[in-house]
Coordinates of all heavy atoms in Angstrom, one line a residue:
V1 N 110.3 117.6 107.6 CA 110.2 116.8 106.4 C 109.7 117.6 105.2 O 108.7 118.3 105.4 CB 109.2 115.6 106.6 CG1 109.0 114.8 105.4 CG2 109.7 114.7 107.7
D2 N 110.5 117.6 104.2 CA 110.1 118.4 103.0 C 109.2 117.7 102.0 O 108.4 118.3 101.4 CB 111.4 118.9 102.3 CG 112.2 119.8 103.1 OD1 111.6 120.7 103.8 OD2 113.4 119.7 103.1
V3 N 109.4 116.4 101.9 CA 108.5 115.6 101.0 C 108.6 114.1 101.5 O 109.6 113.7 102.1 CB 109.0 115.7 99.6 CG1 110.4 115.2 99.4 CG2 108.0 115.0 98.6
V4 N 107.5 113.4 101.3 CA 107.5 112.0 101.7 C 107.3 111.2 100.4 O 106.4 111.5 99.6 CB 106.3 111.7 102.6 CG1 106.1 110.2 102.8 CG2 106.5 112.4 104.0
F5 N 108.1 110.1 100.3 CA 107.9 109.1 99.2 C 107.3 107.9 99.9 O 107.8 107.4 100.8 CB 109.2 108.8 98.6 CG 109.8 109.9 97.8 CD1 110.6 110.9 98.4 CD2 109.6 110.0 96.4 CE1 111.1 111.9 97.7 CE2 110.1 111.0 95.7 CZ 110.9 112.0 96.3
A6 N 106.1 107.6 99.5 CA 105.3 106.6 100.2 C 104.7 105.5 99.3 O 104.5 105.6 98.1 CB 104.1 107.3 100.9
L7 N 104.5 104.4 100.0 CA 103.8 103.2 99.4 C 102.3 103.3 99.8 O 101.8 104.4 100.2 CB 104.4 101.9 100.0 CG 104.7 101.8 101.5 CD1 103.4 101.5 102.3 CD2 105.8 100.9 101.7
N8 N 101.6 102.3 99.7 CA 100.1 102.3 100.0 C 100.0 102.4 101.5 O 100.3 101.4 102.2 CB 99.5 101.0 99.5 CG 99.3 100.9 98.0 OD1 98.6 101.7 97.4 ND2 100.0 100.0 97.4
T9 N 99.5 103.5 102.0 CA 99.4 103.7 103.4 C 98.4 104.9 103.7 O 98.4 105.8 102.9 CB 100.7 103.9 104.2 OG1 100.4 104.2 105.5 CG2 101.5 105.1 103.6
N10 N 97.7 104.8 104.8 CA 96.8 105.9 105.2 C 97.6 107.0 105.8 O 97.1 108.1 105.9 CB 95.8 105.4 106.2 CG 94.6 104.7 105.5 OD1 94.3 105.0 104.4 ND2 94.1 103.7 106.2
A11 N 98.9 106.8 106.1 CA 99.8 107.8 106.6 C 100.0 108.9 105.5 O 100.4 110.0 105.9 CB 101.1 107.2 107.0
I12 N 99.6 108.7 104.3 CA 99.7 109.7 103.2 C 98.8 110.8 103.6 O 99.1 112.0 103.5 CB 99.3 109.1 101.9 CG1 100.4 108.2 101.4 CG2 98.9 110.2 100.9 CD1 100.1 107.4 100.1
I13 N 97.6 110.5 104.1 CA 96.6 111.6 104.5 C 97.2 112.4 105.7 O 97.1 113.6 105.7 CB 95.3 110.9 104.9 CG1 94.6 110.3 103.6 CG2 94.3 112.0 105.4 CD1 94.4 111.2 102.5
E14 N 97.8 111.7 106.6 CA 98.4 112.4 107.8 C 99.5 113.4 107.3 O 99.5 114.5 107.8 CB 99.0 111.4 108.8 CG 98.0 110.6 109.5 CD 97.2 111.5 110.5 OE1 97.7 112.5 111.0 OE2 96.0 111.2 110.5
A15 N 100.3 113.0 106.4 CA 101.3 113.9 105.8 C 100.7 115.1 105.2 O 101.1 116.2 105.4 CB 102.2 113.1 104.9
L16 N 99.7 114.8 104.3 CA 99.0 115.9 103.6 C 98.4 116.9 104.6 O 98.4 118.1 104.4 CB 98.0 115.4 102.6 CG 98.6 114.6 101.4 CD1 97.5 114.0 100.6 CD2 99.5 115.5 100.6
L17 N 97.7 116.3 105.6 CA 97.1 117.2 106.6 C 98.1 118.1 107.4 O 97.7 119.1 107.9 CB 96.3 116.3 107.6 CG 95.0 115.7 107.1 CD1 94.5 114.8 108.1 CD2 94.0 116.8 106.8
H18 N 99.4 117.7 107.4 CA 100.4 118.5 108.0 C 101.2 119.3 107.0 O 102.2 119.8 107.3 CB 101.4 117.6 108.8 CG 100.8 117.1 110.0 ND1 100.1 115.9 110.1 CD2 100.7 117.6 111.3 CE1 99.6 115.7 111.3 NE2 100.0 116.7 112.1
G19 N 100.6 119.4 105.7 CA 101.3 120.2 104.7 C 102.5 119.6 104.1 O 103.3 120.3 103.5
V20 N 102.7 118.3 104.2 CA 103.9 117.6 103.7 C 103.5 117.0 102.3 O 102.6 116.1 102.3 CB 104.4 116.6 104.6 CG1 105.6 115.9 104.0 CG2 104.8 117.2 105.9
P21 N 104.1 117.4 101.2 CA 103.8 116.8 99.9 C 104.2 115.3 99.9 O 105.2 114.9 100.5 CB 104.7 117.6 99.0 CG 105.1 118.8 99.7 CD 105.1 118.5 101.1
V22 N 103.4 114.5 99.2 CA 103.6 113.1 99.1 C 103.8 112.7 97.7 O 103.0 113.1 96.8 CB 102.5 112.3 99.8 CG1 102.7 110.8 99.7 CG2 102.3 112.7 101.3
V23 N 104.7 111.8 97.4 CA 104.9 111.2 96.1 C 104.7 109.7 96.3 O 105.3 109.1 97.1 CB 106.3 111.5 95.5 CG1 106.5 110.7 94.2 CG2 106.6 113.0 95.4
F24 N 103.7 109.2 95.5 CA 103.4 107.7 95.6 C 104.4 106.9 94.8 O 104.5 107.2 93.6 CB 102.0 107.4 95.2 CG 101.7 106.0 95.2 CD1 101.4 105.3 96.4 CD2 101.7 105.3 94.0 CE1 101.1 104.0 96.4 CE2 101.4 103.9 94.0 CZ 101.1 103.3 95.2
V25 N 105.0 106.0 95.4 CA 106.0 105.1 94.7 C 105.4 103.7 94.6 O 105.2 103.0 95.6 CB 107.4 105.1 95.4 CG1 108.3 104.3 94.6 CG2 107.9 106.5 95.6
D26 N 105.1 103.2 93.4 CA 104.6 101.9 93.2 C 105.7 100.9 93.4 O 106.9 101.1 93.2 CB 104.1 101.7 91.8 CG 103.3 100.4 91.6 OD1 102.8 99.9 92.6 OD2 103.3 100.0 90.4
G27 N 105.3 99.7 93.9 CA 106.3 98.6 94.0 C 107.0 98.5 95.3 O 107.9 97.7 95.5
L28 N 106.7 99.4 96.3 CA 107.4 99.4 97.6 C 106.7 98.4 98.5 O 107.3 98.1 99.6 CB 107.4 100.7 98.2 CG 108.2 101.8 97.5 CD1 108.1 103.1 98.3 CD2 109.7 101.4 97.4
D29 N 105.6 97.9 98.1 CA 104.9 96.8 98.9 C 104.2 95.8 98.0 O 104.4 95.9 96.8 CB 103.8 97.5 99.8 CG 102.8 98.3 99.1 OD1 102.6 98.1 97.9 OD2 102.1 99.1 99.7
R30 N 103.6 94.8 98.5 CA 103.0 93.8 97.7 C 101.6 94.1 97.3 O 100.9 93.4 96.5 CB 103.0 92.5 98.4 CG 104.4 92.0 98.7 CD 104.4 90.6 99.3 NE 105.7 90.2 99.6 CZ 106.1 89.0 100.0 NH1 105.1 88.2 100.4 NH2 107.3 88.7 100.2
A31 N 101.0 95.2 97.7 CA 99.7 95.6 97.4 C 99.7 96.1 95.9 O 100.7 96.3 95.3 CB 99.2 96.7 98.3
G32 N 98.5 96.2 95.4 CA 98.4 96.7 94.0 C 98.7 98.2 93.9 O 99.0 98.9 94.9
Y33 N 98.6 98.7 92.7 CA 98.9 100.1 92.5 C 97.8 101.0 93.1 O 96.6 100.8 92.8 CB 99.0 100.4 91.0 CG 99.4 101.8 90.7 CD1 100.7 102.3 90.7 CD2 98.4 102.7 90.3 CE1 101.0 103.6 90.5 CE2 98.7 104.0 90.0 CZ 100.0 104.5 90.1 OH 100.3 105.8 89.8
D34 N 98.2 102.0 93.9 CA 97.2 103.0 94.4 C 96.0 102.4 95.0 O 94.9 102.7 94.7 CB 96.9 103.9 93.3 CG 96.1 105.2 93.7 OD1 96.3 105.6 94.9 OD2 95.4 105.7 92.9
V35 N 96.2 101.5 96.0 CA 95.1 100.7 96.6 C 94.1 101.7 97.2 O 92.9 101.4 97.1 CB 95.7 99.8 97.7 CG1 94.6 99.2 98.6 CG2 96.5 98.7 97.1
H36 N 94.5 102.8 97.8 CA 93.5 103.7 98.5 C 93.0 104.7 97.5 O 92.1 105.5 97.9 CB 94.2 104.4 99.6 CG 94.8 103.5 100.7 ND1 93.9 102.8 101.5 CD2 96.0 103.1 101.0 CE1 94.7 102.0 102.3 NE2 95.9 102.2 102.0
G37 N 93.5 104.8 96.3 CA 92.9 105.7 95.3 C 93.4 107.1 95.4 O 92.8 108.0 94.9
F38 N 94.5 107.4 96.2 CA 95.0 108.7 96.3 C 95.5 109.3 95.0 O 95.3 110.5 94.8 CB 96.0 108.8 97.4 CG 95.6 108.3 98.8 CD1 96.4 107.6 99.6 CD2 94.3 108.6 99.2 CE1 96.0 107.2 100.9 CE2 93.9 108.1 100.5 CZ 94.7 107.4 101.3
V39 N 96.2 108.5 94.2 CA 96.6 109.0 92.9 C 95.4 109.2 92.0 O 95.3 110.2 91.3 CB 97.7 108.0 92.3 CG1 98.0 108.4 90.9 CG2 98.9 107.9 93.2
A40 N 94.5 108.2 92.0 CA 93.4 108.3 91.1 C 92.5 109.5 91.4 O 92.0 110.1 90.4 CB 92.5 107.0 91.3
T41 N 92.4 109.9 92.6 CA 91.6 111.1 93.0 C 92.4 112.4 92.8 O 91.8 113.5 92.9 CB 91.0 111.0 94.4 OG1 92.1 110.9 95.3 CG2 90.1 109.9 94.6
G42 N 93.7 112.3 92.5 CA 94.5 113.4 92.3 C 95.0 114.2 93.5 O 95.3 115.4 93.3
I43 N 95.0 113.5 94.6 CA 95.6 114.2 95.8 C 97.0 113.9 96.1 O 97.6 114.4 97.0 CB 94.7 114.0 97.0 CG1 94.6 112.6 97.5 CG2 93.3 114.6 96.8 CD1 94.0 112.4 98.8
V44 N 97.5 112.9 95.3 CA 98.9 112.5 95.5 C 99.6 112.3 94.1 O 99.0 111.8 93.2 CB 99.0 111.1 96.3 CG1 100.4 110.6 96.3 CG2 98.5 111.3 97.7
L45 N 100.8 112.8 94.1 CA 101.5 112.8 92.8 C 102.2 111.4 92.7 O 102.9 111.0 93.6 CB 102.6 113.9 92.9 CG 103.5 114.1 91.7 CD1 102.7 114.5 90.5 CD2 104.6 115.1 92.0
P46 N 102.0 110.8 91.5 CA 102.7 109.5 91.3 C 104.2 109.7 90.9 O 104.5 110.6 90.2 CB 102.0 108.8 90.2 CG 101.3 109.9 89.5 CD 101.1 111.1 90.5
F47 N 105.1 108.9 91.4 CA 106.5 109.0 91.2 C 106.9 109.0 89.7 O 107.7 109.7 89.3 CB 107.3 107.9 92.0 CG 108.7 107.9 91.8 CD1 109.5 108.8 92.5 CD2 109.4 107.0 90.9 CE1 110.9 108.9 92.3 CE2 110.7 107.1 90.7 CZ 111.5 108.0 91.4
D48 N 106.2 108.1 89.0 CA 106.5 107.9 87.6 C 106.2 109.2 86.7 O 106.6 109.2 85.5 CB 105.9 106.7 87.0 CG 104.4 106.7 87.1 OD1 103.8 107.6 87.6 OD2 103.8 105.7 86.6
T49 N 105.6 110.2 87.3 CA 105.4 111.4 86.5 C 106.4 112.5 86.7 O 106.4 113.5 86.1 CB 104.0 112.0 86.8 OG1 103.9 112.4 88.2 CG2 102.9 111.0 86.5
L50 N 107.3 112.3 87.7 CA 108.3 113.3 88.0 C 109.3 113.4 86.9 O 109.9 112.4 86.5 CB 109.0 112.9 89.3 CG 108.3 113.0 90.6 CD1 109.2 112.7 91.8 CD2 107.8 114.4 90.8
V51 N 109.5 114.6 86.4 CA 110.5 114.9 85.4 C 111.6 115.8 86.1 O 112.8 115.6 85.9 CB 109.9 115.6 84.2 CG1 111.0 116.0 83.2 CG2 108.9 114.7 83.6
S52 N 111.2 116.8 86.8 CA 112.1 117.7 87.4 C 111.8 117.8 89.0 O 110.7 118.1 89.4 CB 111.8 119.1 86.8 OG 112.6 120.1 87.5
F53 N 112.8 117.4 89.7 CA 112.7 117.4 91.2 C 113.4 118.6 91.7 O 114.6 118.8 91.3 CB 113.3 116.1 91.7 CG 113.3 116.0 93.2 CD1 112.2 115.5 93.9 CD2 114.4 116.4 94.0 CE1 112.2 115.4 95.3 CE2 114.4 116.4 95.4 CZ 113.3 115.9 96.0
P54 N 112.8 119.4 92.6 CA 111.5 119.3 93.2 C 110.4 120.1 92.5 O 109.3 120.2 93.0 CB 111.8 119.8 94.6 CG 112.8 120.9 94.4 CD 113.7 120.4 93.3
F55 N 110.8 120.7 91.4 CA 109.8 121.6 90.7 C 108.5 120.9 90.5 O 107.4 121.5 90.7 CB 110.4 122.0 89.3 CG 109.5 122.9 88.5 CD1 109.4 124.2 88.8 CD2 108.8 122.4 87.5 CE1 108.6 125.1 88.1 CE2 107.9 123.2 86.8 CZ 107.8 124.5 87.1
D56 N 108.4 119.7 89.9 CA 107.1 119.0 89.7 C 106.3 118.8 90.9 O 105.1 119.0 90.9 CB 107.4 117.6 89.0 CG 107.9 117.7 87.6 OD1 107.8 118.8 87.0 OD2 108.5 116.7 87.1
I57 N 107.0 118.5 92.0 CA 106.2 118.3 93.3 C 105.6 119.7 93.8 O 104.5 119.7 94.1 CB 107.2 117.8 94.4 CG1 107.7 116.4 93.9 CG2 106.5 117.7 95.7 CD1 108.8 115.8 94.8
N58 N 106.4 120.7 93.7 CA 105.9 122.0 94.2 C 104.8 122.5 93.3 O 103.8 123.0 93.8 CB 107.1 123.0 94.2 CG 108.1 122.8 95.2 OD1 107.8 122.2 96.3 ND2 109.3 123.2 95.0
E59 N 104.9 122.3 92.0 CA 103.9 122.7 91.0 C 102.6 122.0 91.3 O 101.5 122.5 91.3 CB 104.3 122.6 89.6 CG 105.4 123.6 89.2 CD 104.9 125.0 89.3 OE1 103.8 125.3 88.7 OE2 105.5 125.8 90.0
F60 N 102.7 120.7 91.5 CA 101.5 119.8 91.7 C 100.7 120.3 93.0 O 99.5 120.5 92.9 CB 101.9 118.4 91.9 CG 100.8 117.4 92.1 CD1 100.0 116.9 91.1 CD2 100.5 117.1 93.4 CE1 98.9 116.1 91.4 CE2 99.4 116.2 93.7 CZ 98.6 115.7 92.7
Y61 N 101.5 120.5 94.1 CA 100.8 120.8 95.3 C 100.4 122.3 95.4 O 99.6 122.6 96.3 CB 101.6 120.3 96.5 CG 101.5 118.8 96.7 CD1 102.5 118.0 96.3 CD2 100.4 118.3 97.2 CE1 102.4 116.6 96.4 CE2 100.2 116.9 97.3 CZ 101.2 116.1 96.9 OH 101.1 114.7 97.0
R62 N 100.9 123.1 94.6 CA 100.5 124.5 94.5 C 99.4 124.8 93.6 O 98.8 125.9 93.5 CB 101.7 125.4 94.2 CG 102.7 125.5 95.3 CD 103.8 126.4 94.8 NE 104.8 126.5 95.9 CZ 106.1 126.7 95.7 NH1 106.6 126.9 94.5 NH2 107.0 126.7 96.7
S63 N 99.0 123.8 92.8 CA 98.1 124.0 91.7 C 96.6 124.1 92.2 O 96.3 123.6 93.3 CB 98.1 122.8 90.7 OG 97.5 121.7 91.3
D64 N 95.9 124.9 91.5 CA 94.4 125.0 91.8 C 93.7 123.7 91.7 O 92.8 123.4 92.5 CB 93.8 126.1 90.9 CG 94.3 127.5 91.1 OD1 94.8 127.8 92.2 OD2 94.2 128.3 90.2
D65 N 94.1 122.8 90.8 CA 93.5 121.5 90.6 C 93.7 120.7 91.9 O 92.7 120.1 92.4 CB 94.1 120.8 89.4 CG 93.7 121.3 88.1 OD1 92.6 122.0 88.0 OD2 94.4 121.1 87.1
F66 N 94.9 120.7 92.5 CA 95.1 119.9 93.7 C 94.2 120.5 94.8 O 93.5 119.7 95.5 CB 96.6 120.0 94.1 CG 96.7 119.5 95.5 CD1 96.6 118.1 95.8 CD2 96.9 120.4 96.6 CE1 96.8 117.7 97.2 CE2 97.0 120.0 97.9 CZ 97.0 118.6 98.2
H67 N 94.2 121.8 95.0 CA 93.4 122.4 96.1 C 91.9 122.1 95.9 O 91.2 121.9 96.9 CB 93.7 123.9 96.2 CG 95.1 124.2 96.7 ND1 95.3 124.2 98.1 CD2 96.3 124.4 96.2 CE1 96.6 124.4 98.3 NE2 97.2 124.5 97.2
A68 N 91.5 122.1 94.7 CA 90.0 121.8 94.4 C 89.7 120.3 94.8 O 88.7 120.0 95.4 CB 89.7 122.0 93.0
R69 N 90.7 119.4 94.5 CA 90.5 118.0 94.8 C 90.7 117.7 96.3 O 90.0 116.8 96.9 CB 91.4 117.1 93.9 CG 91.0 117.1 92.5 CD 91.8 116.1 91.7 NE 93.2 116.5 91.7 CZ 93.9 117.2 90.9 NH1 93.3 117.7 89.9 NH2 95.2 117.4 91.0
W70 N 91.6 118.3 96.9 CA 92.0 118.1 98.3 C 90.8 118.5 99.2 O 90.5 117.7 100.1 CB 93.3 118.8 98.7 CG 93.7 118.7 100.1 CD1 94.0 119.8 100.9 CD2 94.0 117.6 100.9 NE1 94.4 119.3 102.2 CE2 94.4 118.0 102.1 CE3 93.9 116.2 100.6 CZ2 94.7 117.1 103.1 CZ3 94.2 115.3 101.6 CH2 94.6 115.7 102.8
G71 N 90.2 119.6 99.0 CA 89.0 120.0 99.7 C 89.2 120.5 101.1 O 88.2 120.9 101.7
F72 N 90.4 120.6 101.6 CA 90.7 121.2 102.9 C 91.2 122.6 102.6 O 92.0 122.8 101.7 CB 91.7 120.4 103.7 CG 91.1 119.1 104.2 CD1 91.3 117.9 103.4 CD2 90.4 119.0 105.4 CE1 90.8 116.7 103.9 CE2 89.9 117.8 105.8 CZ 90.1 116.7 105.1
G73 N 90.8 123.5 103.4 CA 91.2 124.9 103.2 C 92.7 125.2 103.3 O 93.2 126.0 102.7
E74 N 93.4 124.4 104.1 CA 94.8 124.7 104.4 C 95.7 123.6 103.8 O 95.5 122.4 104.1 CB 95.1 124.8 105.9 CG 94.4 126.0 106.5 CD 94.8 126.2 107.9 OE1 95.9 125.7 108.3 OE2 94.0 126.8 108.6
F75 N 96.6 124.0 103.0 CA 97.7 123.1 102.6 C 98.9 124.0 102.2 O 98.7 124.8 101.3 CB 97.4 122.1 101.5 CG 98.6 121.2 101.1 CD1 98.7 120.0 101.8 CD2 99.5 121.6 100.2 CE1 99.8 119.2 101.5 CE2 100.6 120.8 99.9 CZ 100.7 119.6 100.6
Q76 N 100.0 123.9 102.9 CA 101.2 124.6 102.5 C 102.4 123.7 102.5 O 102.4 122.7 103.3 CB 101.4 125.7 103.6 CG 100.3 126.7 103.8 CD 100.7 127.6 104.9 OE1 101.8 127.9 105.1 NE2 99.7 128.2 105.5
T77 N 103.3 124.0 101.6 CA 104.5 123.2 101.7 C 105.5 123.9 102.6 O 106.6 123.4 102.7 CB 105.1 123.1 100.2 OG1 105.3 124.4 99.7 CG2 104.2 122.3 99.3
D78 N 105.2 124.9 103.2 CA 106.0 125.6 104.2 C 105.8 125.1 105.6 O 104.7 125.3 106.1 CB 105.8 127.1 104.1 CG 106.6 127.9 105.1 OD1 107.5 127.3 105.8 OD2 106.4 129.2 105.1
G79 N 106.7 124.5 106.2 CA 106.6 123.9 107.5 C 107.0 124.7 108.6 O 107.1 124.3 109.8
N80 N 107.2 126.0 108.4 CA 107.7 126.9 109.5 C 106.7 127.0 110.7 O 107.2 127.1 111.8 CB 107.9 128.3 108.9 CG 109.2 128.4 108.1 OD1 110.1 127.7 108.4 ND2 109.2 129.3 107.1
A81 N 105.4 126.9 110.5 CA 104.5 127.0 111.6 C 104.7 125.8 112.5 O 104.7 125.9 113.7 CB 103.1 127.0 111.1
E82 N 104.9 124.6 111.9 CA 105.1 123.4 112.7 C 106.5 123.5 113.4 O 106.6 123.1 114.6 CB 105.1 122.1 111.8 CG 103.7 121.8 111.4 CD 103.2 122.6 110.2 OE1 104.0 123.4 109.6 OE2 102.0 122.4 109.8
V83 N 107.5 124.0 112.8 CA 108.8 124.1 113.4 C 108.7 125.0 114.6 O 109.2 124.7 115.7 CB 109.8 124.6 112.4 CG1 111.1 125.0 113.1 CG2 110.1 123.6 111.3
Q84 N 108.0 126.2 114.5 CA 107.8 127.1 115.6 C 107.1 126.5 116.7 O 107.4 126.7 117.9 CB 107.2 128.4 115.1 CG 108.0 129.2 114.1 CD 109.4 129.5 114.6 OE1 109.5 129.9 115.7 NE2 110.4 129.4 113.8
A85 N 106.0 125.7 116.4 CA 105.3 125.0 117.5 C 106.1 124.1 118.2 O 106.0 124.0 119.5 CB 104.1 124.3 116.8
I86 N 107.0 123.3 117.5 CA 107.9 122.4 118.2 C 108.9 123.1 119.1 O 109.1 122.7 120.2 CB 108.6 121.5 117.2 CG1 107.6 120.5 116.5 CG2 109.7 120.7 117.8 CD1 108.1 119.8 115.3
H87 N 109.4 124.2 118.6 CA 110.3 125.0 119.4 C 109.6 125.5 120.7 O 110.2 125.5 121.8 CB 110.9 126.2 118.7 CG 111.9 125.8 117.7 ND1 113.2 125.4 118.0 CD2 111.9 125.7 116.3 CE1 113.9 125.1 117.0 NE2 113.1 125.3 115.9
R88 N 108.4 125.9 120.6 CA 107.6 126.4 121.8 C 107.4 125.3 122.7 O 107.5 125.4 124.0 CB 106.3 127.0 121.4 CG 106.4 128.4 120.7 CD 105.1 129.1 120.6 NE 104.1 128.4 119.8 CZ 104.0 128.5 118.5 NH1 104.8 129.3 117.8 NH2 103.1 127.8 117.8
L89 N 107.1 124.1 122.2 CA 106.9 122.9 123.1 C 108.2 122.5 123.8 O 108.1 122.2 125.0 CB 106.4 121.7 122.3 CG 104.9 121.7 121.9 CD1 104.6 120.6 121.0 CD2 104.0 121.7 123.1
L90 N 109.3 122.6 123.2 CA 110.6 122.3 123.8 C 111.0 123.2 124.9 O 111.7 122.9 125.8 CB 111.7 122.2 122.7 CG 111.5 121.1 121.7 CD1 112.6 121.2 120.6 CD2 111.6 119.7 122.4
R91 N 110.4 124.4 124.8 CA 110.8 125.4 125.9 C 109.9 125.2 127.1 O 110.2 125.9 128.1 CB 110.6 126.8 125.3 CG 111.7 127.2 124.4 CD 111.5 128.7 124.0 NE 111.6 128.7 122.5 CZ 110.9 129.5 121.7 NH1 110.1 130.4 122.2 NH2 111.1 129.4 120.4
L92 N 108.9 124.4 127.1 CA 108.0 124.2 128.3 C 108.8 123.5 129.4 O 109.6 122.7 129.3 CB 106.8 123.5 127.9 CG 105.8 124.2 126.9 CD1 104.7 123.3 126.6 CD2 105.3 125.5 127.6

């Protein structure tokens, strides 16, 4: 998965922990805007700010501001490590 477009869900954190960028899309559910505060805290990019796809997403998740707010040491948009791990598991 290169990017996830998500509604209000804690699965956003799971995606981020696995290095998958997330774009929050309002109106996909009946809950209010940004119920969990992921957009408000600056760890998720809101859909309505996208001008250039995928440039804006890559820039957001590579920025020093995101890394400072995210607070976890590892976040990469490169999923090669996960792909290699899956290949190793399939060989067992």
Side-chain angles (χ1 to χ4, degrees):
V1 175
D2 295 320
V3 64
V4 170
F5 291 85
L7 46 81
N8 289 296
T9 175
N10 284 327
I12 288 173
I13 297 299
E14 289 296 321
L16 293 174
L17 287 171
H18 287 90
V20 177
V22 177
V23 176
F24 176 78
V25 182
D26 187 30
L28 294 179
D29 58 19
R30 293 183 181 186
Y33 182 81
D34 191 27
V35 171
H36 301 291
F38 300 143
V39 172
T41 58
I43 63 169
V44 174
L45 180 66
F47 180 77
D48 59 358
T49 63
L50 288 181
V51 175
S52 175
F53 177 84
F55 179 79
D56 291 340
I57 297 168
N58 291 333
E59 288 299 307
F60 179 84
Y61 285 103
R62 289 181 182 151
S63 73
D64 291 338
D65 289 338
F66 166 75
H67 286 277
R69 290 185 300 267
W70 177 234
F72 289 93
E74 294 185 23
F75 182 88
Q76 302 178 25
T77 56
D78 180 3
N80 284 328
E82 288 81 3
V83 169
Q84 296 303 319
I86 290 170
H87 285 286
R88 285 191 302 272
L89 284 172
L90 292 174
R91 285 185 230 148
L92 294 177

